[in-house]
Structures are given as structure tokens and as C-alpha cells.
Amino acid sequence: MKIILDGMGGDNAPASVVEGAILASKEIEHQILIIGKEELINKELKKYKYDENKILVADATEVISNDDAPVRAVRSKKDSSIVKGINMVKSGEGDVFISAGSTGALLAGGLFILGRIQGIDRPALACIYPIVGGNPSLLVDAGANADCKPNNLLEFGIMGNIYMEKVIGRTNPKVGLVNIGSEAAKGSTLTKAAYNLLEQSDMNFIGNVEAREVPKGACDVIVTDGFTGNVLLKLTEGMAWNILQVLKRKFTEGTKAKIGAALLLDKIKGLKKEFDYSEYGGAPILGVKGPIVKMHGSSSANAVKNTILKAIPYAEGKIVDIIQNSVLEIEEITLSEYDKF
């Protein structure tokens, strides 16, 4: 297979992208094609020894930035790394497109170039959510859709369930709906209706999950609207960062603290690793007719490498086709629910 990698996306591009691609190429047999401003990418490649049969470069003269209006940029910047990369997936020249660039442009490109999977109303970002001391969960939606309808949350649950089973390898994952209480009658009009839809599915739906239970690993697939999901994700990232900073400060206050820190160094490094997003790779955009993976904007070379490694089973597992075949279940559930009115 051929992995298409956006060489111009993210805060640290193209340096971290190129380094991450080379690190990944040492662990896989697949080709990686880095697309972007050829001169800049080749300048970075000259710093390393690598297999030229496994790392290729394709030129793209334009760049879509986070300041660009996503829809307008996708339509006008035809020679950008994002537009050309997604087009390569559509034409079959590539099997998966990975980028740390503009989320809005990736979503717009996925919709306009690849199109939605028939029967899926809203594509969603599926982000790995770290669980301290346990296996990570999957948060869907992590920010693509601020406003949602009940059937959208059902779609997120079904797509997340498939990804967790087929890519992460979690058998019969537990699916939970983020809410302000665990009781079925709690929540907004949206969450109450979504609860009814999720309950009728054949997934392992465990009901409502309160936000305080999410970091404890209450469920494998965390279902919520994109607004709530993005707030939950960034709050967790902020809390994790602050906790690590407090620990760092406490362990450097005096000789005794420093001795204690030295004795616990391995444990502290392990805790930091569990919170580190770069260990988990990027977030797939589920619901479009082709594999697209969004990396964190500040992705390091390690994050790029891990995203490439985890994107392979996403593409090879034909997850897009599996989601397409599961759409019939969504339609049957939503129609039966609408019949009640």
C-alpha cells in the first residue's frame, strides 16, 4: 500500500513530518509519499539516510493554513498538499491520507472530493482518549460537529464501535453516551433521543456515562456531540499537563524531593507516556468515502511515526467499506424511532 503524507501540515512541518516518515519507514514495508513543496521536503530529507524506494516526494505548490476559510481554500487551492493528497486517495494513487493541517480543510476536502458514505449524515473525528492505568478509549465526535441531531450520535456510536473492533482490536467494545447523569431520563432533548436510538442498536451500549467516569475508562467508545467532545478532550489535556507540572515542581523542591524523584523516575516517565498524545497517533475522519487521518497540529516526529503505523490497519481493514455496510442498521433504527411520533 501507499501512504500519502501531508508534508506542509502542522506547526513543525516539514521537519517533523519528514523525520516521522523516516522513522516509520524503518518499521514497515509500505511506501510513504510526502506531498508538499518539493524543495523544502528534499532539503529535510538530505539530513537523513533512508531507503529511497520507501520514501517518495510529490510536489504541491500551495499550502492551506489554519487562517484560510476551509471551504473556499479547498475549492481555490487546487495545488495544495491537502487537496492533491485527498485526490490521490480518490484516484487510487494512495490508500490513506495523513495530515496535521487544518481540520476544517480536511473535513471539507473529505466531503467535496471523496463524498460522504451513503447514509451517513455527518462525518466525525474519532480521537484516542488516554486512560491512566488502562486501555485507551475512543472519543467520537472530537470536534467536527458542534451541533448534532440524535441520529448523528447513533452514527458516531456505530462508526466508533467498528473502528474500535477492527483497528484497535477491542472485542465487543462498551459504548457509552456522555451525559450529566447515568439515568436514562437525564439530559437534554438531544441526549434523551440519542439514548433511545443507541439502546435499539446491536452494540454493547452501556447507557449514559458522566464526565467524571470517562477518564476512569467507563466505556471503550465515548459518544457525544463535537462541541462537548472537544471540550472534554481539551479539558483532559489541560488537566494532565497541569498535574505533570505540579509533580515536576514538587519533586524539585529540596534535596529530599529530588532523591524521591530519582527513585520514582521510571514511574513518572510511565505516567507521562500514558498522557502523551504522540503515543496514540492521529484521529481518523469517519464517514467519508476514503481513509483520512488528522494529526495534532503540534505533532512531533514520534507522533507522525505512530500515526502512520496506526493508519495502516485502518486502510488495510477496509473500515470505510464496513461502515458503508452498517448503514442499513442505522436507517432501520432511526425509521423505527420516527414511527413513534
Side-chain angles (χ1 to χ4, degrees):
M1 66 178 291
K2 184 179 286 185
I3 298 153
I4 311 299
L5 183 61
D6 182 1
M8 309 312 295
D11 304 335
N12 306 313
S16 62
V17 176
V18 169
E19 185 182 354
I22 291 170
L23 290 173
S25 71
K26 295 176 181 178
E27 299 185 29
I28 61 176
E29 295 302 320
H30 307 295
Q31 281 189 327
I32 301 171
L33 187 147
I34 307 174
I35 187 167
K37 293 188 176 181
E38 197 169 17
E39 184 180 347
L40 296 177
I41 294 168
N42 284 329
K43 184 180 177 180
E44 290 297 324
L45 283 170
K46 287 178 182 178
K47 298 177 182 178
Y48 305 94
K49 290 182 179 179
Y50 64 95
D51 186 342
E52 293 184 8
N53 293 316
K54 293 168 72 175
I55 303 283
L56 308 173
V57 180
D59 191 37
T61 60
E62 295 178 297
V63 177
I64 295 177
S65 73
N66 288 322
D67 295 326
D68 289 326
V71 174
R72 186 181 304 162
V74 168
R75 287 175 172 165
S76 63
K77 293 187 174 183
K78 302 294 185 183
D79 202 51
S80 64
S81 52
I82 287 178
V83 173
K84 290 188 76 170
I86 296 174
N87 270 311
M88 291 182 81
V89 172
K90 183 179 181 180
S91 67
E93 297 173 79
D95 296 283
V96 59
F97 179 63
I98 300 170
S99 174
S102 162
T103 303
L106 287 169
L107 283 164
L111 286 169
F112 296 147
I113 298 169
L114 298 174
R116 275 192 300 264
I117 290 175
Q118 187 176 357
I120 295 293
D121 184 38
R122 302 273 187 89
L125 274 172
C127 184
I128 292 294
Y129 186 94
I131 303 297
V132 177
N135 294 317
S137 300
L138 186 72
L139 175 63
V140 194
D141 176 23
N145 305 281
D147 298 303
C148 291
K149 297 176 288 187
N151 64 294
N152 299 143
L153 299 189
L154 172 64
E155 293 169 5
F156 301 164
I158 290 175
M159 293 192 294
N161 185 70
I162 291 168
Y163 189 87
M164 182 59 80
E165 278 193 323
K166 304 298 182 182
V167 178
I168 308 298
R170 199 78 53 84
T171 304
N172 196 29
K174 295 183 290 183
V175 178
L177 177 65
V178 176
N179 209 332
I180 57 172
S182 58
E183 301 88 347
K186 280 284 184 73
S188 63
T189 303
L190 170 65
T191 55
K192 289 176 186 176
Y195 185 103
N196 291 334
L197 294 176
L198 287 161
E199 196 174 34
Q200 294 177 58
S201 73
D202 62 3
M203 294 182 289
N204 183 15
F205 178 58
I206 63 167
N208 291 326
V209 175
E210 294 185 64
R212 64 185 174 189
E213 302 301 322
V214 170
K216 300 177 184 178
C219 57
D220 300 303
V221 180
I222 309 159
V223 178
T224 185
D225 62 90
F227 183 92
T228 305
N230 196 265
V231 170
L232 181 62
L233 184 64
K234 289 179 178 175
L235 176 62
T236 303
E237 287 179 346
M239 286 294 293
W241 186 87
N242 277 290
I243 289 168
L244 291 172
Q245 293 304 305
V246 169
L247 286 173
K248 182 179 180 180
R249 188 173 70 249
K250 292 294 182 183
F251 279 130
T252 54
E253 290 178 348
T255 305
K256 288 183 179 180
K258 290 177 181 178
I259 293 171
L263 293 172
L264 294 171
L265 187 59
D266 288 343
K267 298 292 184 182
I268 295 169
K269 285 182 176 178
L271 179 63
K272 184 179 180 181
K273 188 174 181 179
E274 288 193 58
F275 279 124
D276 189 359
Y277 74 88
S278 70
E279 295 294 324
Y280 300 105
I285 299 177
L286 302 178
V288 295
K289 291 192 286 188
I292 298 177
V293 181
K294 168 70 172 76
M295 293 187 291
H296 201 290
S298 58
S299 287
S300 63
N302 187 54
V304 174
K305 181 199 78 169
N306 285 324
T307 299
I308 292 170
L309 297 180
K310 289 178 172 63
I312 292 169
Y314 177 36
E316 289 185 334
K318 305 294 182 184
I319 306 304
V320 173
D321 294 338
I322 296 171
I323 291 173
Q324 176 69 78
N325 294 334
S326 301
V327 168
L328 183 61
E329 179 192 354
I330 299 175
E331 292 175 342
E332 288 177 352
I333 293 170
T334 52
L335 284 172
S336 65
E337 187 66 18
Y338 291 146
D339 286 343
K340 296 178 181 179
F341 295 95

